[in-house]
C-alpha cells in the first residue's frame, strides 16, 4: 500500500550528490529510504556513516542495469518514489572510455523505467497516482553557450557535446518518451555544476584543493576562460526534494546557482582561501601553482542556467552564495584530509596518469 510514509528508492545515493540528498532527506523528511548503489570508484559508504544504522535506512549494493534486482526491490519495498541519481558522471572519463556511460546512463535508466512501469501496472489506480520518478540530470545536455547567449531554459534544444552529456541527454529523452507513451509519472531536473564536501577529487574544485595543499601543479585546461554556473550541493539536494513534492508530471525544471564563473577565477578564489586558511603553507601564494595544460576535447565554453521556473513553481532558490559555499568547501577539504587520502589511493593514481600524464 503506497502512502506518504512509504519508502523512497534512491539510486546512486553513495555518490557526491546522492549522499547529500540522503542526508538532507533524513534531516528534513525522515520517512524510510532505500539506497541502491553499485559502489563504483565514485560511491563511498563513508559519506553515509552518520545515518547507516538508522532502522528506516536500507542500503543495497547493486546495479541499475540488473532488471531482476530492480523488480525484486520494487515488490519488496513498494516505494512511493524513485530518485534516480546513479550515473557515470565525469566528462573526462567519458572521453577516455564512453562504454560505461552508455551502459549505466542509458541502459540503466531504461532498465529502471521498464521495471517501474511494469510494477506500477500491478498497483491499484489510487496508489499508482501517488508514485513519482524523479530523474536527475545535467545542464550539459543543452550544449555550450556563447558569451552573450541567454541562459539555458527548459525548452532549449539538446545539443550535447561530450559522451557524458550525450548519454545523459539520451536518458532524459527516454524519460520523456515514457511519460508521453505510457503516462509514466516522471519529473526531470537539469542542474548546473555542483560543488561542496564529499565530491570526488576528479572534478575541478576538490582536485585543485587536493593538489594545492600538496604543492602540486594546478591543471587549467586551455585558456581557463570556460564558464560554469556553480551551485552548492546542499542547495541541489533541497531542489530535488522540492521537485519531488511539488513538481508536475512530465515537466522539466532547470536548477542552477545564478553564479557564472570563469574557471580561472574559481581557481584563483580557491587559492586565495587556501592562502588565508593556511598562512604558514610553504606553497603560498597557491596561485603560483596554476599551470595551463592541453584543453579538453570538445570542451564546452559556457553553461548558465535560467532557474526561474524552479523558483516560480517549486518555491526554490539557492541559499548559499559562491562566497559562503566556497569557504565551507575549502574548510571541509582541509578538515577531512583522511577522506581525501582514502579515496585518492589505488585506482585514482591510474586515472591521474591517464588524464594528466601526457597533457
Ligand atoms: P557521482 O559520480 O559522484 O556518483 C554516482 C553514484 O552512482 C556513485 O555512488 C556510483 O557508485 C553510483 N553508480 C554508478 N553506476 C551505477 C550503476 N550502474 N548502478 C548503481 N549505482 C551506480 O555523481 P554525482 O556528481 O553525485 O551526480 C549524481 C547525478 O547528478 C548524476 O546523474 C549526474 O549526471 C547528475 N548531475 C551531476 C552534477 C554535478 O555537478 N556533479 C550536476 C548536475 C547533474
Ligand atoms: P568538471 O569539474 O570536470 O565539471 P564539468 O566538466 O562537468 O563542467 O570541470 C569544470 C570545469 O573545469 C570545466 O570547464 C573543465 C575544467 N577543468 C580544468 O580546467 N582542469 C581540470 O583538471 C578539471 C578536472 C576540469
Amino acid at each position: 500500500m503506497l502512502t506518504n510514509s512509504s519508502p523512497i528508492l534512491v539510486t546512486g545515493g553513495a555518490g557526491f550528490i546522492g549522499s547529500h540528498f540522503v542526508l538532507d532527506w533524513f534531516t528534513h523528511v525522515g520517512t524510510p529510504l532505500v539506497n541502491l548503489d553499485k559502489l563504483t570508484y565514485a560511491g563511498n559508504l563513508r559519506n553515509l556513516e552518520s545515518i547507516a544504522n538508522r532502522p528506516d535506512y536500507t542500503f543495497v549494493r547493486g546495479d541499475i542495469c540488473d532488471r531482476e534486482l530492480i523488480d525484486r526491490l520494487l515488490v519488496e519495498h513498494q516505494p512511493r518514489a524513485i530518485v534516480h541519481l546513479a550515473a557515470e558522471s565525469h566528462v573526462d572519463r567519458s572521453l577516455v572510455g564512453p562504454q560505461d556511460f552508455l551502459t549505466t546512463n542509458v541502459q540503466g535508466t531504461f532498465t529502471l523505467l521498464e521495471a517501474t512501469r511494469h510494477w506500477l501496472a500491478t498497483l491499484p489506480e489510487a496508489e499508482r497516482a501517488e508514485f513519482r520518478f524523479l530523474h536527475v540530470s545535467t545542464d550539459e545536455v543543452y550544449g555550450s553557450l556563447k558569451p552573450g547567449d541567454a541562459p539555458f531554459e527548459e525548452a532549449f534544444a539538446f545539443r550535447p557535446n561530450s559522451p557524458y552529456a550525450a548519454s545523459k541527454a539520451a536518458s532524459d529523452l527516454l524519460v520523456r518518451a515514457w511519460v508521453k507513451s505510457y503516462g509514466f509519472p516522471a519529473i526531470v531536473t537539469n542542474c548546473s555544476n555542483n560543488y561542496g564536501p564529499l565530491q570526488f577529487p576528479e572534478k575541478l574544485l576538490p582536485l585543485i584543493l587536493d593538489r594545492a595543499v600538496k604543492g602540486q601543479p594546478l591543471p587549467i585546461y586551455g585558456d581557463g576562460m570556460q564558464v560554469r554556473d556553480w551551485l552548492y550541493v546542499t542547495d541541489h539536494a533541497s531542489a530535488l526534494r522540492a521537485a519531488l513534492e511539488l513538481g508536475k508530471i512530465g515537466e522539466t525544471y532547470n536548477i542552477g546557482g545564478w553564479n557564472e564563473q570563469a574557471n580561472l577565477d574559481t581557481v584563483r578564489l580557491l587559492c586565495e582561501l587556501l592562502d588565508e586558511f593556511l598562512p604558514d603553507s610553504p606553497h603560498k601564494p597557491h596561485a603560483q601553482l596554476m599551470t595551463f595544460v592541453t584543453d579538453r576535447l570538445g570542451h564546452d565554453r559556457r553553461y548558465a542556467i535560467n532557474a526561474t521556473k524552479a523558483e516560480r513553481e517549486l518555491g526554490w532558490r539557492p541559499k548559499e552564495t559562491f562566497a559562503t559555499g566556497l569557504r565551507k568547501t575549502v574548510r571541509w577539504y582541509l578538515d577531512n584530509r583522511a577522506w581525501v587520502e582514502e579515496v585518492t589511493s589505488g585506482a585514482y593514481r591510474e586515472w591521474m596518469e591517464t588524464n594528466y600524464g601526457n597533457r
Side-chain angles (χ1 to χ4, degrees):
M1 173 82 182
L2 291 198
T3 67
N4 264 347
S5 55
S6 295
I8 63 163
L9 173 63
V10 175
T11 71
F16 166 49
I17 300 168
S19 49
H20 281 281
F21 177 81
V22 171
L23 297 172
D24 173 277
W25 185 261
F26 283 121
T27 303
H28 295 281
V29 184
T31 52
L33 184 151
V34 180
N35 176 12
L36 168 65
D37 198 297
K38 187 178 171 182
L39 297 183
T40 66
Y41 78 93
N44 187 350
L45 288 181
R46 273 210 191 294
N47 301 352
L48 298 169
E49 267 171 353
S50 63
I51 54 98
N53 294 322
R54 287 177 68 113
D56 48 2
Y57 172 70
T58 308
F59 176 71
V60 180
R61 183 171 192 178
D63 194 324
I64 55 166
C65 299
D66 182 346
R67 175 67 189 265
E68 264 177 48
L69 172 68
I70 310 295
D71 286 344
R72 185 163 59 71
L73 290 177
L74 291 171
V75 171
E76 192 178 323
H77 295 283
Q78 302 279 313
R80 75 170 170 94
I82 294 179
V83 180
H84 175 35
L85 294 122
E88 288 294 334
S89 69
H90 188 37
V91 172
D92 290 320
R93 285 187 194 255
S94 82
L95 292 163
V96 172
Q99 179 64 60
D100 286 349
F101 290 73
L102 273 289
T103 305
T104 285
N105 300 0
V106 184
Q107 184 71 29
T109 301
F110 164 73
T111 305
L112 276 178
L113 290 170
E114 272 301 81
T116 309
R117 178 169 79 87
H118 285 285
W119 169 70
L120 281 175
T122 68
L123 300 183
E125 171 59 37
E127 288 188 39
R128 206 177 326 151
E130 296 300 313
F131 183 86
R132 296 288 181 277
F133 184 101
L134 179 61
H135 177 68
V136 180
S137 192
T138 166
D139 60 356
E140 305 193 20
V141 299
Y142 299 117
S144 183
L145 294 168
K146 296 198 179 62
D149 288 350
F152 300 133
E153 291 169 29
E154 288 80 358
F156 277 27
F158 281 12
R159 292 195 170 88
N161 295 318
S162 71
Y164 163 65
S167 69
K168 290 296 290 188
S171 69
D172 294 12
L173 293 176
L174 288 177
V175 173
R176 178 190 158 87
W178 261 240
V179 171
K180 297 283 176 193
S181 302
Y182 305 116
F184 189 81
I187 297 157
V188 178
T189 54
N190 292 89
C191 187
S192 63
N193 286 65
N194 284 215
Y195 70 102
L198 304 175
Q199 189 168 30
F200 192 77
E202 63 188 353
K203 306 276 167 66
L204 181 67
L205 272 75
L207 180 121
I208 292 296
L209 289 173
D210 183 40
R211 295 182 65 85
V213 168
K214 294 174 176 156
Q216 296 170 342
L218 309 180
I220 311 286
Y221 294 167
D223 64 2
M225 292 309 290
Q226 306 83 7
V227 170
R228 296 294 182 264
D229 176 351
W230 294 99
L231 179 70
Y232 193 66
V233 61
T234 56
D235 280 323
H236 190 188
S238 69
L240 295 179
R241 190 159 33 84
L244 185 60
E245 298 310 323
L246 300 170
K248 291 202 196 78
I249 290 173
E251 293 290 325
T252 292
Y253 300 91
N254 281 356
I255 312 290
W258 299 105
N259 176 33
E260 290 184 53
Q261 305 283 344
N263 292 339
L264 269 183
D265 294 331
T266 299
V267 175
R268 276 201 199 102
L269 283 171
L270 290 176
C271 289
E272 283 167 20
L273 284 170
L274 286 176
D275 292 349
E276 179 190 330
F277 290 169
L278 301 173
D280 301 327
S281 166
H283 311 304
K284 251 180 82 182
H286 291 86
Q288 73 189 348
L289 298 167
M290 288 164 68
T291 306
F292 291 94
V293 300
T294 309
D295 207 353
R296 177 186 274 175
L297 297 174
H299 198 169
D300 284 338
R301 201 67 188 160
R302 174 178 167 235
Y303 303 141
I305 281 275
N306 181 337
T308 311
K309 181 176 173 186
E311 179 166 355
R312 192 177 60 240
E313 297 189 17
L314 307 177
W316 174 87
R317 259 194 86 83
K319 289 205 171 69
E320 300 290 344
T321 63
F322 204 39
T324 61
L326 275 190
R327 291 189 85 80
K328 287 184 183 181
T329 305
V330 174
R331 192 69 270 162
W332 189 87
Y333 279 93
L334 292 178
D335 291 346
N336 290 276
R337 294 300 302 157
W339 183 94
V340 177
E341 292 309 324
E342 194 179 304
V343 302
T344 54
S345 60
Y348 182 77
R349 307 237 164 89
E350 282 162 40
W351 166 248
M352 293 305 281
E353 188 49 36
T354 306
N355 195 43
Y356 298 95
N358 293 320
R359 262 197 143 101

